């Protein structure tokens, strides 16, 4: 148990028998009232966001969180299967936990997984990934202005804007935070 004033962003707490991840917190001292901690949290079970105000002397149940490396293997029904890098156990992760991150995960991609009570509750991608272009619009000959982009589809099925000179088979680096093309990868 910790005091409400010790709550930090990213912390996982148990409240009313449910697990929440703290998205934001603010310590408020309004005039002559007692201090309080205003939090914005997301339920790990339902994904719903909620705001909660704690008095500074409230006791909060902090949950032990473990972070480990997992390798993405393949999709399965409404889940994605990951392998624990330490013990080689295969774990299905619901599609809503993975979300749009699947666009940047080729097979055998290594990600960091947050594990609570034996379940992966969130994943963290590397800051960039290298993917191969499998479809690309043809470049217009003679259009040599700078910063002209065309649509291309990469091996995960994600569509990205790339420079005109890129073609099928090229490998590119994509920023996983923005989803944008970074550079061509020479191998």
């Amino acid at each position: 148990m910790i005091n409400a004033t010790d709550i930090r962003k990213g912390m996982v707490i148990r409240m009313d028998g449910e697990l929440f991840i703290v998205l934001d917190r603010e310590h408020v001292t309004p005039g002559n009232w007692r201090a309080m901690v205003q939090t914005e949290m997301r339920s790990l079970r339902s994904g719903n966001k909620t705001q909660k105000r704690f008095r500074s002397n409230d006791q909060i149940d902090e949950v032990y969180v473990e972070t480990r490396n997992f390798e993405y293997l393949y999709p399965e029904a409404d889940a994605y299967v990951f392998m624990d890098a330490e013990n080689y156990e295969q774990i299905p992760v619901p599609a809503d936990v993975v979300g749009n991150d699947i666009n940047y995960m080729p097979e055998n991609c290594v990600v960091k997984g947050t594990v609570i009570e034996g379940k992966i509750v969130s994943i963290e991608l590397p800051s960039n990934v290298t993917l191969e272009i499998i479809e690309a619009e043809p470049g217009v000959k003679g259009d040599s202005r700078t910063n002209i982009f065309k649509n291309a589809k990469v091996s995960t099925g994600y569509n990205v804007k790339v420079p005109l000179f890129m073609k099928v088979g090229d490998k590119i680096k994509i920023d996983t935070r923005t989803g944008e093309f970074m550079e061509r990868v020479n191998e």
Side-chain angles (χ1 to χ4, degrees):
M1 299 293 268
I2 61 170
N3 285 329
T5 54
D6 294 329
I7 293 175
R8 298 288 176 255
K9 184 176 178 180
M11 186 178 280
V12 177
I13 62 173
R14 185 184 318 274
M15 187 174 70
D16 302 329
E18 192 172 343
L19 297 177
F20 291 88
I21 186 164
V22 178
L23 303 174
D24 197 15
R25 71 165 297 274
E26 182 179 3
H27 191 247
V28 182
T29 52
N32 60 355
W33 292 8
R34 296 192 183 262
M36 62 187 104
V37 177
Q38 179 72 33
T39 62
E40 181 180 354
M41 302 180 293
R42 184 179 68 234
S43 168
L44 293 178
R45 182 175 49 82
S46 67
N48 295 335
K49 286 186 182 180
T50 185
Q51 293 191 353
K52 175 78 173 165
R53 186 176 294 160
F54 297 100
R55 294 181 307 223
S56 59
N57 60 349
D58 283 348
Q59 293 291 302
I60 309 299
D61 187 12
E62 182 181 11
V63 178
Y64 174 70
V65 177
E66 185 179 1
T67 303
R68 297 195 308 250
N69 286 334
F70 292 91
E71 182 178 333
Y72 170 60
L73 297 179
Y74 56 88
E76 178 182 80
D78 60 344
Y80 299 99
V81 179
F82 289 82
M83 180 178 67
D84 189 328
E86 293 174 11
N87 61 16
Y88 306 109
E89 177 185 2
Q90 292 187 11
I91 303 167
V93 178
D96 60 335
V97 171
V98 176
N100 290 332
D101 289 348
I102 194 64
N103 292 328
Y104 312 112
M105 291 190 322
E107 291 181 357
N108 304 321
C109 176
V110 176
V111 299
K112 287 194 183 302
T114 302
V115 180
I116 299 174
E117 298 174 351
K119 292 174 52 180
I120 299 174
V121 296
S122 71
I123 62 166
E124 181 183 336
L125 295 170
S127 61
N128 59 66
V129 292
T130 300
L131 298 172
E132 183 177 344
I133 295 176
I134 58 170
E135 288 179 23
E137 295 176 355
V140 179
K141 189 170 183 168
D143 196 351
S144 60
R145 292 182 296 174
T146 57
N147 295 333
I148 301 292
F149 291 91
K150 64 181 181 180
N151 290 320
K153 184 185 271 188
V154 293
S155 53
T156 61
Y158 180 65
N159 289 313
V160 64
K161 297 276 190 188
V162 297
L164 284 176
F165 61 86
M166 302 300 294
K167 60 187 181 307
V168 173
D170 285 349
K171 293 192 187 278
I172 59 171
K173 195 176 283 189
I174 296 177
D175 187 329
T176 59
R177 297 164 297 206
T178 63
E180 296 177 355
F181 167 84
M182 292 175 66
E183 63 185 13
R184 179 170 29 179
V185 177
N186 296 324
E187 292 185 6

